[in-house]
Amino acid sequence: MLKKFFLNFLSSFVGAWVAIGLFGIVAVIVLISLIGKIGISQSSSISGVSKNSVMVIDLNGRIEERESPSEFDYIAALQQDFDTPLTLTSLVGSIREAADNKDIRMIYLKCGKLQSGMATLRALRQELAEFKKSGKKIYAYGDSYSLSDYYVASVADSLFVNPDGVIEVNGISGGSLYFKDLLDNLGIQMQVVKVGTFKSAVEPYISNEMSQPARAQLDTLYGNIWSQMTQEICSDRKLKAEALNNLINSDFLQLQDGEFAVSKHLADRAVYERTMDKRFADALGIDVEKVNFVGHDVVAASNAEISLGKKKRIAVLYATGEIMEGTKTGINCEVLVPIITDLAEDDDVVGMVLRVNSPGGSVFGSEQIAEALAYFQSKEKPLAVSMGDYAASGGYWISCHANRIFADPMTITGSIGIYGLIPDVSGLARKIGVTPQFVSTNPDADFPSFLRPMTEAQHAAMQKMIEKGYDQFITRVATGRKMSKQKVMTIAEGRVWDGQTALKLGLVDQLGSLSDACDWVKSQAKKDGKEPVLEYLPNMEPSFWDMVRISTQSQMRLALIEEIGKVVPESEYAVEAANILRRRAVQARIVPIFFN
């Protein structure tokens, strides 16, 4: 039975890979034929900006840094998720335009299930707080609120909740799945070589429970972030942090309705969504039919900065995602390094802001990017780093030599450490009756191999390489941050830090936003009397998948879903396997932390 199970598992796994190849052909044929028949169009039920406009921000789904071309997402297609994600860039641009535009009189936050890193949420919240200084009001409504929704919405002048809804503010919780026993049962051994007591990214592969160092660092990290969140929520809701925590600990807010939330001052009114139009009309002193609701994307588009014809520029370069090579998503050093080199050699580029939102990744890729940035600085051009949700491990590697580093208090950074991970599937092969055989001219000709375990000599050689890479990382940080190597080592060991603590430790220079970083570079850049303009890079070139996403033709979507369901029923397994196998063996990376 066990053998049959693994044979089925393996055949399913291989079949998924084959299906992906077949689907690539099928999907293109289906899409092209449908486009020919029905075309791709884009429409919106929300009108443009006019008198008595209320800008609507749908806080639902994930928030990404900025628009970027996306690869085909099998899982999203299977789940019928064709929504274009929100971006922090467009949200910030639309909020600033709304503050200045006399026709936009209020903002309406429609809260759903927001998914984002905490630093991104705080950047959005801070921008909304700045909007209120214009004298215009913000109303927020949610059938229910998650912690992410509520954290952002709590800045509103009036917060409404459905009478039958809930406000799920229960503190911060996060964790990882540990599956050593599963791998043992499958006959797979994860061979780990690492440096750093707190470098816990590999723990789920080699252990069944969280280590004490890993638990300790997360306990501190969560505590600091939660303290920042409660301080801001309570300031705007006029609550005391102690009272909020007592409420959370004693009343199970996720089981309480909207009326209860109002009674505890977490919301202002418990109402149904259908009444919100009238409330905006009353606030504006006009009839309901005269209220003009406009989407934030429309407002953002009207506020797009045009730099054509301008000469002196400051590059705002986004480095978002996992650091890898040869990929169209994430941070591909093969793409980013030539861009940085061109910017260094362009006399019209007088400075750069590197926006980093990355949990790290390939050590090789990190070093290539860091070297290119050093070349940029050698041209005597100022370089600032603006950290988003993450700038950890490899993300910190590429950041630490900047002239000035800006972080959000909720940024997760540090994690100065590296590891090597090589799976050994020889046990699984034996279980299903596969016996690998090798012929080599030299003992280590096939190293590293997935089909046999490392020898002691190979393990020792790899440990030496990891330790050398760790010393390289430590030296880079020490030089960039002007610290001794001994001091860096006391805050390294793979430990992650929140932005507020990182400031105290000297890992960052200033708490601030992307705008603050841009302003600093402008102040440092050599000028010819004219204000340099911002140029956002890399340039966005929509992919074929982006065209599908913006299509409003449900006929196309349904046909695509049907074809995917026929040929790629198990694509998620292959996609996850690809993510593991395509990474280099040596990584400076953390596992992204998701908050519930």
Side-chain angles (χ1 to χ4, degrees), residues 62 73-83 561 564 572:
R62 67 186 185 277
D73 190 333
Y74 299 96
I75 307 305
L78 284 167
Q79 296 173 343
Q80 303 186 36
D81 179 9
F82 289 88
D83 292 336
I561 292 163
I564 296 172
E572 64 269 28

Side-chain angles (χ1 to χ4, degrees), residues 99-308:
D100 296 334
N101 193 315
K102 61 181 177 56
D103 289 328
I104 300 176
R105 300 183 61 187
M106 296 181 71
I107 285 180
Y108 181 14
L109 301 178
K110 295 182 68 173
C111 299
K113 292 293 182 182
L114 195 58
Q115 303 166 20
S116 179
M118 291 300 180
T120 294
L121 295 177
R122 187 172 184 275
L124 175 57
R125 194 181 193 279
Q126 293 293 100
E127 205 62 48
L128 290 167
E130 193 67 24
F131 169 85
K132 291 169 63 176
K133 294 179 181 179
S134 67
K136 303 176 183 182
K137 293 188 179 298
I138 300 172
Y139 280 7
Y141 173 85
D143 285 331
S144 291
Y145 289 87
S146 67
L147 174 60
S148 297
D149 301 326
Y150 188 76
Y151 172 59
V152 174
S154 62
V155 77
D157 297 281
S158 294
L159 193 148
F160 303 88
V161 62
N162 191 296
D164 299 312
V166 295
I167 293 180
E168 300 180 51
V169 178
N170 302 309
I172 292 176
S173 174
S176 300
L177 296 177
Y178 285 67
F179 38 86
K180 178 180 181 298
D181 282 350
L182 172 62
L183 294 174
D184 288 345
N185 291 335
L186 292 174
I188 299 173
Q189 297 296 317
M190 289 295 188
Q191 303 170 108
V192 174
V193 184
K194 70 166 186 170
V195 179
T197 303
F198 295 91
K199 199 66 179 175
S200 57
V202 297
E203 283 189 1
Y205 303 112
I206 60 176
S207 177
N208 287 320
E209 59 184 24
M210 190 179 293
S211 68
Q212 285 304 312
R215 188 175 295 278
Q217 71 169 338
L218 290 181
D219 185 60
T220 301
L221 181 71
Y222 289 5
N224 290 345
I225 291 176
W226 177 240
S227 177
Q228 179 74 35
M229 290 184 73
T230 52
Q231 176 186 337
E232 294 177 10
I233 289 172
C234 290
S235 175
D236 282 304
R237 294 303 307 167
K238 307 219 170 9
L239 297 169
K240 292 185 177 180
E242 183 181 1
L244 177 60
N245 279 305
N246 287 339
L247 188 64
I248 291 169
N249 296 337
S250 61
D251 287 293
F252 292 94
L253 288 180
Q254 70 269 38
L255 302 179
Q256 306 294 341
D257 62 17
E259 297 289 357
F260 179 87
V262 172
S263 71
K264 299 299 181 181
H265 308 291
L266 296 174
D268 296 297
R269 295 284 299 274
V271 302
Y272 293 99
E273 185 177 6
R274 61 177 175 77
T275 70
M276 289 303 297
D277 288 7
K278 180 66 165 60
R279 295 180 189 281
F280 280 104
D282 290 344
L284 298 176
I286 58 177
D287 296 332
V288 172
E289 58 271 15
K290 292 183 179 180
V291 180
N292 179 49
F293 292 99
V294 57
H296 90 274
D297 51 341
V298 175
V299 178
S302 69
N303 189 44
E305 182 173 348
I306 300 175
S307 59
L308 296 177

Side-chain angles (χ1 to χ4, degrees), residues 261-406:
V262 172
S263 71
K264 299 299 181 181
H265 308 291
L266 296 174
D268 296 297
R269 295 284 299 274
V271 302
Y272 293 99
E273 185 177 6
R274 61 177 175 77
T275 70
M276 289 303 297
D277 288 7
K278 180 66 165 60
R279 295 180 189 281
F280 280 104
D282 290 344
L284 298 176
I286 58 177
D287 296 332
V288 172
E289 58 271 15
K290 292 183 179 180
V291 180
N292 179 49
F293 292 99
V294 57
H296 90 274
D297 51 341
V298 175
V299 178
S302 69
N303 189 44
E305 182 173 348
I306 300 175
S307 59
L308 296 177
K310 303 288 186 178
K311 192 172 183 182
K312 298 301 180 184
R313 312 189 307 279
I314 290 174
V316 181
L317 181 61
Y318 283 79
T320 304
E322 185 174 341
I323 301 172
M324 301 181 74
E325 303 92 40
T327 177
K328 294 181 181 179
T329 58
I331 305 172
N332 182 355
C333 64
E334 296 168 2
V335 172
L336 210 61
V337 166
I339 293 175
I340 296 170
T341 301
D342 289 345
L343 293 173
E345 296 172 353
D346 188 337
D347 292 337
D348 291 332
V349 175
V350 296
M352 184 200 301
V353 177
L354 183 68
R355 174 66 171 182
V356 179
N357 198 339
S358 172
S362 164
V363 168
F364 176 83
S366 300
E367 180 58 23
Q368 304 314 298
I369 295 169
E371 192 280 330
L373 291 169
Y375 176 64
F376 179 90
Q377 290 175 286
S378 73
K379 301 295 184 178
E380 297 185 349
K381 300 179 182 184
L383 169 66
V385 162
S386 170
M387 295 179 169
D389 298 315
Y390 299 94
S393 207
Y396 192 74
W397 189 306
I398 66 177
S399 301
C400 62
H401 264 249
N403 300 104
R404 194 162 187 84
I405 300 176
F406 294 77

